[in-house]
Amino acid sequence: MATETVTHKFAGIMSKPGKTELADVVPPLLAWFREHHYQVVIDPETAPYAPGVEVLARDEMASRH
């Protein structure tokens, strides 16, 4: 009998405040993560460019998994 291994993949996106290119970079990056079955969290600086994604403070990201 074969056993199935479930792998949980997580990613956190942290953005430098005030970077205008985030509007071009974040949406395709999130699409890639979704296509590859990652659970994604973002920091408050990234939130305006990623509606619907869970927002965490940076210091909370490392403990999230």
Side-chain angles (χ1 to χ4, degrees):
M1 177 181 258
T3 58
E4 188 175 317
T5 302
V6 177
T7 302
H8 297 281
K9 299 185 278 188
F10 298 91
I13 301 174
M14 294 184 219
S15 299
K16 190 172 183 177
K19 297 301 249 179
T20 58
E21 60 265 36
L22 292 174
D24 295 325
V25 174
V26 172
L29 180 61
L30 287 172
W32 186 92
F33 280 128
R34 286 182 185 123
E35 289 170 12
H36 292 87
H37 309 287
Y38 278 78
Q39 181 178 348
V40 179
V41 295
I42 57 174
D43 68 351
E45 286 77 17
T46 308
Y49 310 99
V53 179
E54 183 177 1
V55 179
L56 293 176
R58 290 180 178 200
D59 61 349
E60 295 174 354
M61 286 185 171
S63 64
R64 176 66 178 215
H65 61 281

